[in-house]
Amino acid sequence: MLPKPSLKFSEQIVCANVLVLAVKMSERVFNFSAGPAMMPEPVLERARDEMLSFGGSGMGIMEMSHRSGLFGEVLGRAGSGLRTLLELPANYKVLFIQGGATLQFSMVPMNLLAAGATAQYVVTGQWGKKAAAEAARFGTAEVIYNGEPEGFVSVADQDELRLSSAAAYVHYTSNETIDGVEFDYDLDAGGVTVVCDASSNILSKPIDIEKYALVYAGAQKNIGPSGVTVVIVRDDLLKRTLREMPKVLSYEAIAANDSMLNTPNTWGIYLISLVCEWLQEQGGVAAMEKRNAEKAGILYDAIDSSDGFYRGHAERRARSRMNVTFRLSSPELDEKFCAEAELLGMNGLRGHRTVGGIRASIYNAFPRAGVEYLVEFMNDFAARN
Ligand code: PMP
């Protein structure tokens, strides 16, 4: 990880050329990117070591048939790793699908929302809004909570949601990656089918899976590389065949073929298996929750104690532990902050292109030392500006 030079930040910035060199020499930076995001270093090292020959086979995973016994074991380990970490009961299936979380915006209604039927959408950020828009192509997407007029700064309370038992399902986004707002509870919808986009906080804490019928997550934040999406689905949903559709988009068909209806993202699934092993070694998702709470707490404390120099985006109760969003007094100062941070080996801090500001994404694999380094820089930057 990046060595901390003994110079003051201001001196380091003056010596930018020297510093760029230092960063290059240390190879790795603190990468605050929202996804694809930092992977656990031991996972990357192991993947490097096994790149040319996996399991003594004389070939790498990327070169190996997905129908081979060795890959079958990898697929099994990725699935059982997720099952163990999330304590999935036997009636939930784990599927590995391509097309990102964005394809799930369509696959969910294609599979679960009959033409003429209604699904309810809780919209607390830009991704939930996109999911609702996509569902409206297949049936009625009733938005029962919309945080947009307030600027997506909060989440819904359980008791303000008018859930309907007639709805095909209710969909929400447990963590909104762009806006930095996160639910701190599992939606309890009684008998209503709950579908959750957990792309940016899956595995960051334990969840009560039995409250959900379907959870999906693009891997590239907390689970592995981009190009593979995890879908956890309760098996009674697999029987809801509603319309003619391509087989490759049918949960039932994918589950019946153990995610091998066609060639899956073998490399992505392999890395998921390694990330699951790493998470187990770290103490599982309960240990992650504790660490993530501490990391986010350090950052929010720095924002709150800055006398308004840094202004947090989300309301306190909805603050994300994964994506910490804040602003300075002007877009120019935001930019200066990001540019200086980059010189100091902190990358990926610019907010999403649609909203600007600063976003520090600190998923499971992001080290606490990186958060402390950022806070040190924030205090220094505030004093100088
Ligand atoms: N949902 C959420 C919460 C996300 O953060 C993202 C990606 N950042 C998406 C959906 C879309 O994911 P993908 O790019 O994998 O389609």
Side-chain angles (χ1 to χ4, degrees), residues 228-285:
V228 55
T229 306
V230 170
V231 176
I232 298 162
V233 55
R234 208 177 57 210
D235 55 15
D236 58 285
L237 262 60
L238 301 174
K239 297 176 195 94
R240 271 202 208 179
T241 304
L242 300 173
R243 53 168 62 78
E244 266 309 307
M245 64 179 145
K247 217 173 158 188
V248 74
L249 300 179
S250 152
Y251 293 128
E252 188 186 15
I254 296 168
N257 289 277
D258 201 14
S259 302
M260 298 252 269
L261 185 69
N262 66 331
T263 317
N265 178 344
T266 51
W267 173 248
I269 292 169
Y270 160 66
L271 283 167
I272 291 175
S273 75
L274 297 187
V275 169
C276 288
E277 277 178 39
W278 176 80
L279 278 170
Q280 293 285 20
E281 286 160 18
Q282 304 302 306
V285 289

Side-chain angles (χ1 to χ4, degrees), residues 99-103 105 127 173 175-177 197 199-200 218 220-221:
T102 302
L103 180 60
F105 294 169
W127 293 111
T173 313
N175 182 67
E176 280 285 354
T177 323
D197 175 0
S199 292
S200 48
Q220 65 269 24
K221 298 151 201 310

Side-chain angles (χ1 to χ4, degrees), residues 342-360:
E342 214 159 280
L343 279 174
L344 295 161
M346 289 172 277
N347 283 54
L349 283 163
R350 283 181 187 82
H352 191 266
R353 59 197 154 78
T354 55
V355 293
I358 317 288
R359 171 175 55 174

